[in-house]
Amino acid sequence: MKKFGIFAAVAAMLMAFASCEKVEPTALEVEDLKASTLKGYVYYTMIDSDGFEDGIAPVTTGGTVNIEVTELDAEGKATSNVVLVTAKLSQTGKYEASIPVAVGKKAKCKATCVFTAQNNDAQTGSSVSMVSTKVTYKAQTEVTISYGETVNGELMGEKVGSFDAPNFFK
């Protein structure tokens, strides 16, 4: 009877192993991941020949938007992980960049663009006059982006100086 009990236990154990279905794990493909995207336009304020604002125009000179990506922890505080991403500025003032954000995480993006554009600028001398010249602008924005999210980050240029100004950095 003891032998029969041992035989029954071994048979039950073999049946338990035989009934387990072997499942192969599925591979994680790059296509399965959702990209996080930061996109938008870079603008500046047009000045007319009298020195008054004449509307907003997109940057048409091309250039680069530099994006500093800082990973955020669960409490929204910056970690030490910082990545620099660049995006080309199209001739219509549009940029788009793929931002590296881990699954379930968020990141703070600080986008900056320095560009020159033809605009009316005050020229000094014996009398102040408005003259069409190249003006340097700096545009900047900060946004928070989550994994798989697309965020618009519009950049508005602030005047830094003109090439003709005596205190312009060269």
Side-chain angles (χ1 to χ4, degrees):
M1 193 69 178
K2 244 184 182 182
K3 286 184 184 180
F4 180 71
I6 293 174
F7 176 74
V10 170
M13 203 165 53
L14 288 174
M15 285 177 49
F17 284 124
S19 67
C20 290
E21 181 181 340
K22 187 174 183 179
V23 177
E24 293 291 325
T26 57
L28 180 62
E29 300 291 332
V30 175
E31 295 83 26
D32 296 336
L33 297 175
K34 295 180 185 175
S36 300
T37 305
L38 176 62
K39 65 180 183 175
Y41 287 86
V42 180
Y43 299 101
Y44 67 103
T45 303
M46 293 293 299
I47 304 295
D48 66 15
S49 60
D50 295 323
F52 297 108
E53 291 185 6
D54 193 26
I56 295 173
V59 176
T60 59
T61 57
T64 304
V65 176
N66 298 309
I67 306 163
E68 183 180 301
V69 181
T70 306
E71 185 180 72
L72 301 176
D73 63 14
E75 288 121 26
K77 295 181 182 170
T79 67
S80 60
N81 298 331
V82 177
V83 177
L84 297 176
V85 176
T86 59
K88 283 193 164 225
L89 193 57
S90 74
Q91 296 299 320
T92 60
K94 184 177 182 179
Y95 74 95
E96 187 170 328
S98 181
I99 305 298
V101 181
V103 177
K105 296 275 187 171
K106 290 185 177 188
K108 181 178 79 172
C109 298
K110 181 179 177 182
T112 307
C113 182
V114 176
F115 60 94
T116 60
Q118 194 74 21
N119 207 351
N120 287 304
D121 191 28
Q123 298 295 304
T124 58
S126 58
S127 65
V128 176
S129 61
M130 299 301 289
V131 177
S132 181
T133 185
K134 287 193 178 237
V135 179
T136 303
Y137 295 89
K138 180 179 180 182
Q140 192 168 311
T141 190
E142 283 191 32
V143 296
T144 301
I145 190 168
S146 300
Y147 168 76
E149 186 177 34
T150 297
V151 174
N152 286 323
E154 307 299 329
L155 289 103
M156 187 65 188
E158 299 280 330
K159 181 180 164 185
V160 175
S162 66
F163 286 127
D164 297 333
N167 58 352
F168 179 74
F169 54 92
K170 294 187 181 191

